[in-house]
Amino acid sequence: MLTMTATSDGDGARIALPTGEVVRTGDPDAGAVLSRALGRRVEPASVPPEGAALDRAVPEEVLAAGVTAEVAVEETVIGLGAPPGGGFVDFAPLHLIGTATLDAIGAASPRGTAEDVRYRPNLVLRTAGPAFGENDWAGREMAAGTRNRVEPMPGLGLRACAGVYARVLRPGRIRRGAAVRLL
């Protein structure tokens, strides 16, 4: 199994192979390393090739006939929800799923469980509501995590802020690498 983690240094995705070897999609030999690991020719790309598509089993038929049944497929164009500049998102840059939905899918499956990785979500949210409650989230805004809220100046009330405002007490030159300490 390959595991991928995002990087923020511009070198592409970091891919850890089962052997412990690590390759970045931006490495010149990434295609060769991945091809050897997967046993077929592959090449990392930052945008889908022109006309790239995949066959997707019709979900309703799978639910009705079972996961091993021969069912109809639909062709889906890769990157339909990609932001300007490209990307490999199916329908949107983020995919959220609730644990109540995963629990319901698992209860209906022969194995009695559903792994979140099968759906490739960006966030799995612990939900106590009904299964498929995500349907009610469409068109609404959601805040994830806590925001740093402080009163930046007296009388302004709490605001979402990052950093701190300051004023100069003694003018001078600051050089890169200079030590900084709170007094």
Side-chain angles (χ1 to χ4, degrees), residues 49-69:
E50 184 70 31
L54 58 88
D55 287 338
R56 178 176 173 256
V58 175
E60 293 79 10
E61 290 189 29
V62 173
L63 288 173
V67 294
T68 58

Side-chain angles (χ1 to χ4, degrees), residues 93-175:
L94 290 175
H95 176 214
L96 316 176
I97 194 167
T99 55
T101 295
L102 290 170
D103 292 344
I105 294 168
S109 76
R111 293 186 311 116
T113 185
E115 292 82 10
D116 57 8
V117 295
R118 187 263 175 251
Y119 298 94
R120 303 182 323 272
N122 300 92
L123 294 174
V124 177
L125 306 171
R126 187 173 318 280
T127 53
F132 307 102
E134 300 91 336
N135 296 343
D136 295 331
W137 301 350
R140 298 176 64 192
E141 289 187 11
M142 178 181 286
T146 57
R147 291 184 180 181
N148 184 45
R149 298 183 71 77
V150 296
E151 186 171 24
M153 296 179 69
L156 286 181
L158 293 179
R159 309 282 176 155
C161 296
V164 65
Y165 296 113
R167 58 187 167 93
V168 175
L169 297 177
R170 284 191 308 261
R173 184 176 294 250
I174 301 173
R175 299 193 194 301

